[in-house]
Amino acid sequence: MQFGISRRAFAAGAALLPVACSRAGRALPAAATGGSAPPLPALSNPLVKQRADAQIFRHEDGNYYMTGSVPEYDRLILRRSRTLAGLADAEERVLWRHEASGPMSGFLWAPELHFVGGRWIVYFAAGPSGGGEDVFRIRTYAVICDGPDPMTGNWTVLGQFDAPWDSFNLDSTIFMHRGTQYFAWAQREPGIETNSNLYIAPLATPLTLAAPAVRLTVPTLDWEVRGFKVNEAPAVLERGGKLFMTYSASATDARYCLGLLTADADADIMDPHAWTKSPEPVFTTCRETSVYGPGHNSFTVDEEGRDMLVYHGRDYEAIEGDPLFNPDRHTRAQRLYFDAQGNPDFGVPVGNGPLPERFAPAGRSGVWLAHAGTRAFVGSAPLAQTQFRSLPDANGDLRLSPILLRDHCLAATASGGVEIRPSAAGDRAPGGDLFKRRPGPRKDCVILESAAYPGKALAHDAGSLRLAPAGEAASIWDIS
Ligand code: AHR
């Protein structure tokens, strides 16, 4: 099962030259910030091609670590980088290869790197390679590093997870909560006709539980049982007094999606009733952005400490044969926002290209630059309708393209209005679909000066958009 592995890095973030004064002679806030506009997002999707089940986290050593399944399922890999975007080109080390024979000689799935008791440990699922053995006799194992540096240390087998049943189990993760280390994993339970359910229990040692496992969820809802009856790949995030556990459901093709369990952080999380299951999937295939079967996520933060969702997804729908053997689940990452109630708002998978941003009238909350189809406005709207990708042209000017309308962009009109229209390749004026990213009066805000109408900038006017003198309050946008 040899597959070509390619990676695409999209070096962006060429901060536009700060201009102290626009051609119209109006003093721009650059003077105030004395500096350049906030850089464009450096990260571009897919972050790493043909790496599925990605776990990315930022360790206290300041490094980002990434591991995940490779299409050959024959080795455990690890990347390290000082930046999230840097993982795209980071050297990939092979920590351990499957054995020549025996229970760990076949598939190696969904590794996770954890620092447990001062030691680096990788948990993963493995199965035999055949020879009369069932290659899907998948169980959870761990390898351990003999030194402080996981990228250079020697990795050896620590052993097999002592699961409650000798049955199919995989996709384990560890999280600390209220001083206790918990293990969460997916397993097939005898007597329950599903492929996998989710379980949780405190850890006694890296491979044994300190208490009987508690079943948190069984796939029963229609979106959880398409193709296969699956709840797998738990990932845990604690924010704002709540514990969120995402999981993946259904078959690993375009039907793959994320579900969400929520518990109060003060609750007894070993009580299954403490967890509320979202009745609908929270993250699914999106045709507008061409991402199919998003799932098997992890959570991390970007260089500024802002929450990031890491997941895999394909950029096409039709798969020949078993999706498990299709190599094109690519690692992707995007900002994770929260709604007013403090719950994660996953939006949609943002699609290939530079990370999009949100633009809000400076100092105002709950309203954004948004669109409904080709109607652009300023107001509240579903997350995906407020996300715009900045696409630099050869001169560094930007087209602002809605993620849901990839071949469209914002354009200023001669009458001082702003509309959304098909991107006119290479048309600089009079179309006006190019903007210069100028620094605003504070760190995380910008002015988007029209390239076609110098001195004029994209501005918010109650619920609508217009051009206004650059630097005016209405032309200042908070970015997030
Ligand atoms: O990628 C291999 C397996 O496929 C993962 O462990 C699981 O999450 C998915 O179903």
Side-chain angles (χ1 to χ4, degrees):
M1 278 193 291
Q2 294 304 321
F3 299 106
I5 295 194
S6 66
R7 273 174 291 165
R8 186 185 52 205
F10 177 85
L16 298 158
L17 296 173
V19 178
C21 179
S22 79
R23 274 190 231 122
R26 173 182 289 276
L28 288 179
T33 62
S36 52
L40 289 170
L43 195 146
S44 182
N45 281 305
L47 180 60
V48 181
K49 284 203 150 181
Q50 301 195 336
R51 291 291 175 271
D53 315 323
Q55 176 216 22
I56 296 179
F57 71 96
R58 189 165 71 172
H59 187 54
E60 60 211 25
D61 66 7
N63 287 305
Y64 286 95
Y65 289 91
M66 174 187 162
T67 186
S69 301
V70 299
E72 301 82 357
Y73 299 132
D74 63 350
R75 60 194 188 278
L76 305 179
I77 55 101
L78 186 65
R79 295 175 180 224
R80 173 164 66 192
S81 164
R82 297 302 288 183
T83 65
L84 259 178
L87 289 166
D89 302 315
E91 179 225 340
E92 187 169 87
R93 181 182 176 209
V94 175
L95 304 180
W96 190 81
R97 285 185 186 280
H98 62 187
E99 297 179 335
S101 61
M104 295 189 277
S105 60
F107 302 140
L108 302 184
W109 287 350
E112 282 214 1
L113 174 69
H114 292 279
F115 198 58
V116 183
R119 301 287 301 274
W120 288 107
I121 292 181
V122 169
Y123 291 89
F124 61 100
S129 53
E133 283 252 53
D134 168 10
V135 295
F136 288 103
R137 189 185 177 286
I138 301 286
R139 302 292 186 270
T140 296
Y141 302 87
V143 290
I144 189 163
C145 185
D146 66 354
D149 182 350
M151 287 295 283
T152 58
N154 295 317
W155 288 83
T156 54
V157 174
L158 180 64
Q160 179 176 351
F161 163 50
D162 182 17
W165 308 278
D166 182 20
S167 64
F168 180 84
N169 67 82
L170 72 173
D171 293 1
S172 55
T173 189
I174 283 185
F175 67 98
M176 184 65 85
H177 183 62
R178 300 280 186 271
T180 298
Q181 202 148 45
Y182 289 90
F183 203 62
W185 72 99
Q187 181 150 18
R188 181 185 178 90
E189 180 175 342
I192 299 182
E193 281 317 306
T194 61
N195 298 90
S196 58
N197 318 315
L198 284 192
Y199 300 85
I200 186 176
L203 270 180
T205 69
L207 290 171
T208 60
L209 303 175
V214 163
R215 185 189 328 118
L216 291 186
T217 167
V218 172
T220 56
L221 303 173
D222 65 346
W223 51 273
E224 295 180 306
V225 297
R226 295 186 297 175
F228 290 100
K229 297 180 178 177
V230 166
N231 281 172
E232 63 181 11
V236 176
L237 180 70
E238 182 168 350
R239 287 287 179 274
K242 294 180 186 173
L243 215 52
F244 302 106
M245 182 185 287
T246 47
Y247 63 93
S248 301
S250 285
T252 57
D253 53 25
R255 297 170 288 182
Y256 205 55
C257 57
L258 290 185
L260 179 67
L261 301 173
T262 305
D264 190 291
D266 296 329
D268 168 10
I269 64 169
M270 286 296 286
D271 172 2
H273 302 100
W275 295 87
T276 304
K277 184 171 183 172
S278 296
E280 295 300 327
V282 293
F283 202 55
T284 58
T285 283
C286 180
R287 296 179 197 294
E288 290 88 350
T289 60
S290 302
V291 178
Y292 299 88
H296 204 122
N297 76 292
S298 57
F299 296 107
T300 189
V301 291
D302 69 7
E303 293 78 358
E304 293 171 55
R306 300 175 300 184
D307 286 302
M308 295 290 285
L309 178 72
V310 175
Y311 58 99
H312 71 225
R314 297 184 176 89
D315 40 29
Y316 57 84
E317 178 166 18
I319 296 170
E320 271 172 46
D322 185 333
L324 208 52
F325 303 117
N326 167 283
D328 293 328
R329 291 179 292 176
H330 307 319
T331 296
R332 301 168 182 275
Q334 63 187 61
R335 289 286 313 279
L336 179 67
Y337 298 97
F338 287 78
D339 65 19
Q341 290 68 48
N343 297 314
D345 183 349
F346 295 84
V348 303
V350 294
N352 294 359
L355 269 193
E357 295 166 302
R358 307 175 84 186
F359 300 87
R364 290 177 54 195
S365 62
V367 294
W368 284 276
L369 168 63
H371 72 102
T374 57
R375 182 174 68 84
F377 63 94
V378 177
S380 62
L383 169 55
Q385 292 171 231
T386 69
Q387 293 175 291
F388 290 77
R389 189 168 273 125
S390 296
L391 304 170
D393 77 348
N395 310 307
D397 293 340
L398 303 172
R399 281 188 179 82
L400 290 160
S401 175
I403 66 167
L404 295 176
L405 277 179
R406 297 179 64 84
D407 53 0
H408 283 61
C409 62
L410 285 179
T413 65
S415 60
V418 177
E419 60 186 25
I420 289 182
R421 62 171 207 193
S423 305
D427 170 21
R428 282 181 68 82
D433 56 357
L434 291 163
F435 296 86
K436 297 180 184 301
R437 191 176 170 109
R438 303 285 194 212
R442 295 176 320 294
K443 186 166 110 22
D444 289 330
C445 67
V446 292
I447 291 169
L448 297 163
E449 184 185 8
S450 166
Y453 307 102
K456 293 282 175 67
L458 185 71
H460 39 88
D461 177 5
S464 64
L465 286 168
R466 61 180 172 84
L467 289 184
E472 254 188 25
S475 73
I476 301 172
W477 300 86
D478 291 336
I479 47 172
S480 66

